[in-house]
């Protein structure tokens, strides 16, 4: 997969990748594009304090 743009930091890129693949996983299980975006936003906000840490979202 080619990322279409540059990021200022690795953290920004990691968050973009997490969002992209989480949304993709929701569409793969049958959610519509809009519902997948809503669910992804919800999960990112719910776990915003621990996205990549121990027992984090990623």
């Amino acid at each position: 997969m080619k990322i279409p743009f540059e990021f200022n930091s690795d953290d920004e890129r990691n968050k973009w990748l997490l969002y992209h693949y989480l949304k993709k996983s929701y569409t793969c299980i049958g959610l519509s594009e809009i519902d997948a975006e809503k669910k992804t936003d919800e999960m990112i906000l719910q776990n915003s304090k621990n996205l990549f840490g121990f027992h984090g979202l990623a």
Side-chain angles (χ1 to χ4, degrees):
M1 177 179 115
K2 186 171 194 260
I3 298 174
F5 43 85
E6 297 292 322
F7 295 95
N8 294 327
S9 68
D10 287 340
D11 193 44
E12 282 184 29
R13 186 191 71 232
N14 291 341
K15 287 177 183 176
W16 183 86
L17 287 169
L18 176 62
Y19 184 90
H20 175 77
Y21 283 108
L22 187 58
K23 180 180 161 193
K24 185 176 181 173
S25 69
Y26 285 130
T27 57
C28 285
I29 63 169
L31 290 178
S32 70
E33 192 78 21
I34 293 169
D35 289 339
E37 282 183 21
K38 287 179 185 177
K39 185 68 173 168
T40 301
D41 290 341
E42 182 181 303
M43 290 301 291
I44 294 284
L45 288 173
Q46 239 176 16
N47 296 285
S48 64
K49 294 191 186 245
N50 189 16
L51 293 176
F52 301 103
F54 187 67
H55 291 289
L57 182 60

